[in-house]
Amino acid sequence: MKNPQSILRDTFGFDDFRVGQHEIVDAVIAGKNTLAIMPTGGGKSLCFQLPALVRDGLTVVISPLIALMRDQVRALQEAGVAAGALTSGNTEEETQAVFDALSEGRLKLLYMAPERLSGTATFNMLQRSNVSFIAVDEAHCVSQWGHDFRPDYLRIGELRQGLNVPLAAFTATADQETREEIVEKLFAQEAPETFLHGFDRPNIALAFDVKNSPRQQILNFVAARKGLSGIVYTGTRAKTETLANALRDAGHSACNYHGGMEPEARREVERRFQQEDGLIVCATVAFGMGIDKPDIRWVAHADLPKSIEGYYQEIGRAGRDGAPADTLTLFGPDDVRFRRTQIDEGLAPAERRIADHGRLNALMGLAEALGCRRVQLLAYFGETSEPCGNCDLCDTPADTFDATTPVRMALSAILRTGEWFGAGHLIDILRGDKTEKVLARSHDTLPTFGVGTEWSKREWQAIFRQMMGHDLVRPNPERHGALTMTDRARPILRDEEGITLRRDTIQATRMGPAVRTLVGEEDAPLLSALKAKRRGLAERANAPAYVIFNDKTLIEMAQTRPQTLDDMARIGGVGAKKLERYGAEFLQVIAGEVAAMHPQRRKMAGKSEGSTYDRLLEVQSDLMRGEDGTAKPLSCSASLLARLVKQRPRDLSGVERVLGDKRADRFGDAFLEVLREA
């Protein structure tokens, strides 16, 4: 067997392994199924490239990004390694060269995207190619509910079993739940040898700031690092363009990148970023996975990321060379609302959406941290550390206060309203605002009504936001964003524990203009749930979402909250056909289980005839066994009652023509009275 140490030196040019690499390399060389979680920049690729040169046969590398595969293949070829890639970016000559090397048994590493696994031709080719090992880069992409999910990663486990070879999976981002999912999907519960080599990147400085003129905040941050390569992550495609323009206007070399751009334009940005010094890329998260540029000196988030996993992976693109790098993450209440809406409008099951709200809570907790951010970040991944001295809160401690009293007030309001309401309504109760909703539910009689008048509405919103950051409360998707308490909240509610919050971020929420929204804060979660239902129906019908119902109709549903199909029929944009087709499904989102309605009655929904039909049913029920309750049961079919409502006879003979003698004799007089009243 070839000597790994000599290959490390002669082929890769390193005298020693980095911390954690050696034992992973040994496990892979020994043919063990392996799961390695290593920090970005920790040298993951060497852990499968070096063993590929030691072992006999071909190592197949599954990787999610064409640019990354091409870069690694180019670097390996320049080092004298027989490596190739099969990607959609290949020329015909490149692809033919790879097939020739495979057929001649010369290739040691073959890179391919997971999408290539969808056909049997690839499997047959690999069966003939003496594959001895599979390496999976960015293995967290197998997590079906993760931020980088790639459906074709689910085929890798079948490939491993079909080829009957060991597999090594690598990622820099995986909490306990994601690690369990990787083991389930890639290793079929056959426990791999697992290496968890720390998440700390001590060279990266961590900083968060509350949004206050966010574009200027980004410009100021970048101006202090002029001439250094960096990435600005944004929450929307449009913002990548506006920020890139602003940076260029300020004299920086900047471009934008997002998933909606043409492939050639994206490749040009990737090429420039690799080759140009000092280039800034304003991008969505579509940019970055697998970036192999070691000298990115800073990463800024113009908007709050989706989760701590996403945040950690994105800032990890800075300082891969081990030299100092800076980060800045801006956040505000609108970011939180945007991310909550993304979760609520998703099609994941309720339990997954609750977990995603918990992940967002964890990120908010990092943003609103009271002490060293690195301590809190590493604790999320199960590691302990001392204060780092390389974050904004180590430099300038947070301004904090004892918030036990207002938090207990808020928790009491949540408990006394049955955990059925969101922050907006709870704040109205705490501040003593006699809104229509408060009065309609008699919540002005609660002991907590008006106990929190010393706090403004914006301050209460910040308190609730920090309560979520401490994971005391979570929105419940099944109750359209109503806040429910976690076990962490109960000792505070029972006066067994206290809690400290940040004063500075509460005060900072007063800054900046109010953002216009489609509906009020209380109705936003329900609107998200209605949009999710619409999206699911649209995908099922392969039709645009507005064909089901337009936004205006959903907004009216969220604001008026119809409880019956009659109520639903009165919503603008809900015609008879759409009520018949979709009414019950949307009503179930709003009101829960919906009583079945006969088709004849459903045609009258929202019309005066509907109430007349219902009254006839009541009268019929009273007289079904006659006036004295002893007669043989008798009733009218739904179609007979519907005909009676439509024809509205004025006398008993008219009722007889519709119902017949026997039924007219039992119900005629009473039915006529109902029809006359109508």
Side-chain angles (χ1 to χ4, degrees):
M1 181 179 287
K2 299 173 185 176
N3 188 318
Q5 199 72 40
S6 64
I7 294 175
L8 178 68
R9 181 180 60 253
D10 298 339
T11 302
F12 296 97
F14 300 123
D15 291 328
D16 295 300
F17 289 104
R18 295 187 193 180
V19 174
Q21 283 183 322
H22 203 302
E23 54 264 44
I24 298 173
V25 167
D26 286 346
V28 176
I29 290 174
K32 297 179 180 178
N33 286 324
T34 305
L35 171 60
I37 295 94
M38 305 172 70
T40 302
K44 294 191 297 295
S45 58
L46 183 88
C47 292
F48 57 80
Q49 290 173 349
L50 191 153
L53 304 184
V54 175
R55 294 174 56 86
D56 293 330
L58 174 71
T59 292
V60 175
V61 182
I62 310 295
S63 183
L65 282 186
I66 292 175
L68 173 65
M69 289 189 276
R70 293 178 71 87
D71 286 346
Q72 291 197 5
V73 167
R74 189 179 303 116
L76 287 165
Q77 289 174 345
E78 289 180 2
V81 176
L86 291 175
T87 78
S88 58
N90 282 18
T91 64
E92 288 186 17
E93 293 77 11
E94 288 172 332
T95 298
Q96 189 58 51
V98 171
F99 282 130
D100 289 345
L102 278 172
S103 63
E104 296 167 11
R106 292 186 285 106
L107 213 61
K108 293 300 295 179
L109 287 114
L110 174 64
Y111 283 75
M112 61 173 56
E115 287 73 18
R116 282 209 168 242
L117 303 180
S118 58
T120 56
T122 297
F123 178 73
N124 293 337
M125 175 195 72
L126 294 177
Q127 272 191 319
R128 299 191 301 268
S129 300
N130 191 28
V131 176
S132 63
F133 208 88
I134 299 172
V136 181
D137 203 7
E138 309 291 356
H140 63 274
C141 293
V142 79
S143 176
Q144 194 162 356
W145 307 108
H147 57 288
D148 287 324
F149 174 57
R150 299 283 284 265
D152 292 287
Y153 263 67
L154 299 175
R155 296 189 173 96
I156 297 174
E158 297 174 10
L159 177 67
R160 178 186 74 89
Q161 292 178 315
L163 296 176
N164 193 27
V165 296
L167 181 147
F170 299 86
T171 181
T173 310
D175 60 10
Q176 181 61 38
E177 185 179 16
T178 304
R179 293 199 290 271
E180 291 172 359
E181 199 166 354
I182 290 172
V183 171
E184 176 191 349
K185 300 290 173 52
L186 297 185
F187 299 98
Q189 299 292 9
E190 299 172 20
E193 188 153 343
T194 301
F195 300 90
L196 184 59
H197 279 303
F199 291 88
D200 193 13
R201 297 283 303 284
N203 62 309
I204 299 179
L206 309 178
F208 283 71
D209 200 4
V210 177
K211 284 186 176 180
N212 178 23
S213 301
R215 183 180 300 183
Q216 192 58 50
Q217 287 172 284
I218 293 293
L219 290 174
N220 292 343
F221 178 79
V222 176
R225 295 155 182 82
K226 192 171 179 64
L228 301 178
S229 294
I231 305 172
V232 182
Y233 284 110
T234 73
T236 65
R237 294 176 176 181
K239 195 178 287 188
T240 68
E241 299 174 10
T242 58
L243 265 178
N245 289 334
L247 287 166
R248 283 194 294 268
D249 291 344
H252 302 280
S253 177
C255 56
N256 72 292
Y257 183 108
H258 58 72
M261 294 166 58
E262 291 296 323
E264 186 55 42
R266 294 203 305 271
R267 283 194 290 270
E268 176 60 16
V269 173
E270 292 167 355
R271 182 198 64 76
R272 288 185 61 193
F273 193 59
Q274 291 285 4
Q275 296 179 4
E276 294 182 23
D277 289 330
L279 183 66
I280 299 167
V281 178
C282 299
T284 61
V285 293
F287 180 76
M289 191 197 300
I291 284 179
D292 203 18
K293 183 178 173 68
D295 58 347
I296 300 172
R297 295 272 63 87
W298 57 266
V299 169
H301 284 90
D303 301 301
L304 191 71
K306 291 182 178 180
S307 63
I308 283 190
E309 290 87 351
Y311 166 78
Y312 175 80
Q313 188 174 64
E314 288 146 26
I315 65 168
R317 284 151 196 164
R320 290 171 63 118
D321 55 5
D326 295 321
T327 68
L328 172 67
T329 301
L330 300 182
F331 69 100
D334 298 318
D335 291 295
V336 179
R337 189 178 302 114
F338 173 65
R339 293 304 186 192
R340 296 275 186 222
T341 299
Q342 283 187 317
I343 294 170
D344 290 336
E345 290 185 9
L347 301 180
E351 63 271 14
R352 172 57 61 169
R353 281 180 281 145
I354 290 172
D356 286 342
H357 279 302
R359 285 188 168 92
L360 181 57
N361 277 2
L363 180 59
M364 290 166 58
L366 182 63
E368 304 269 15
L370 305 178
C372 174
R373 294 195 194 276
R374 199 174 311 274
V375 169
Q376 187 154 338
L377 175 63
L378 295 178
Y380 178 82
F381 291 109
E383 296 184 15
T384 58
S385 71
E386 297 297 319
C388 67
N390 195 24
C391 74
D392 54 341
L393 292 179
C394 283
D395 291 341
T396 305
D399 178 15
T400 62
F401 71 105
D402 182 354
T404 306
T405 297
V407 168
R408 192 173 295 136
M409 290 176 181
L411 294 174
S412 178
I414 291 170
L415 186 66
R416 291 178 185 278
T417 54
E419 299 181 302
W420 275 101
F421 298 92
H425 183 68
L426 296 166
I427 290 170
D428 288 337
I429 294 171
L430 292 163
R431 285 185 43 76
D433 295 335
K434 294 187 177 182
T435 66
E436 182 179 338
K437 189 172 180 179
V438 167
L439 296 175
R441 292 162 174 77
S442 299
H443 287 166
D444 56 323
T445 64
L446 294 174
T448 47
F449 183 76
V451 297
T453 54
E454 65 182 286
W455 301 90
S456 71
K457 189 168 187 176
R458 283 186 177 273
E459 288 169 336
W460 269 117
Q461 287 170 339
I463 289 170
F464 273 97
R465 192 178 72 236
Q466 291 195 52
M467 288 169 62
M468 292 184 204
H470 285 269
D471 206 29
L472 304 181
V473 293
R474 292 186 185 182
N476 186 336
E478 293 186 313
R479 298 185 179 185
H480 311 309
L483 296 180
T484 55
M485 289 188 291
T486 67
D487 290 339
R488 292 186 183 187
R490 304 196 183 279
I492 299 173
L493 183 64
R494 293 193 295 259
D495 201 15
E496 297 170 358
E497 292 181 6
I499 186 169
T500 299
L501 297 183
R502 289 182 62 167
R503 181 182 284 109
D504 47 1
T505 58
I506 287 177
Q507 293 169 341
T509 59
R510 295 174 179 168
M511 303 175 182
V515 175
R516 296 178 63 183
T517 56
L518 293 174
V519 295
E521 183 179 358
E522 278 298 301
D523 298 325
L526 176 54
L527 179 60
S528 294
L530 293 170
K531 284 184 175 181
K533 170 58 71 174
R534 180 180 67 178
R535 177 180 159 201
L537 292 170
E539 289 181 356
R540 192 190 314 163
N542 195 25
Y546 67 82
V547 170
I548 310 296
F549 287 124
N550 62 34
D551 279 357
K552 188 176 180 181
T553 297
L554 296 190
I555 289 168
E556 188 177 347
M557 287 184 194
Q559 291 173 330
T560 60
R561 300 187 179 230
Q563 297 297 302
T564 65
L565 284 174
D566 285 317
D567 296 337
M568 180 70 78
R570 299 184 185 101
I571 300 290
V574 182
K577 286 188 177 179
K578 288 191 176 181
L579 183 72
E580 174 77 21
R581 190 173 299 170
Y582 306 121
E585 292 197 66
F586 280 87
L587 193 62
Q588 189 169 20
V589 173
I590 299 166
E593 289 300 319
V594 181
M597 181 179 282
H598 194 281
Q600 292 286 354
R601 172 62 178 86
R602 195 156 54 235
K603 292 176 183 177
M604 305 176 194
K607 303 175 184 177
S608 59
E609 289 92 337
S611 57
T612 303
Y613 180 97
D614 293 341
R615 183 71 185 119
L616 291 176
L617 277 180
E618 292 176 12
V619 169
Q620 176 179 263
S621 178
D622 292 340
L623 297 176
M624 192 173 292
R625 287 184 172 272
E627 291 187 1
D628 60 2
T630 60
K632 185 178 180 181
L634 184 66
S635 63
C636 305
S637 68
S639 58
L640 281 178
L641 291 179
R643 198 184 313 162
L644 199 65
V645 171
K646 186 175 182 180
Q647 295 184 9
R648 291 179 179 266
R650 296 177 176 274
D651 52 34
L652 200 57
S653 62
V655 174
E656 287 178 358
R657 283 194 294 273
V658 176
L659 302 183
D661 294 345
K662 187 184 295 184
R663 289 182 175 82
D665 185 54
R666 174 81 56 94
F667 304 113
D669 291 335
F671 280 0
L672 276 174
E673 187 176 345
V674 170
L675 294 172
R676 287 170 187 147
E677 289 176 357

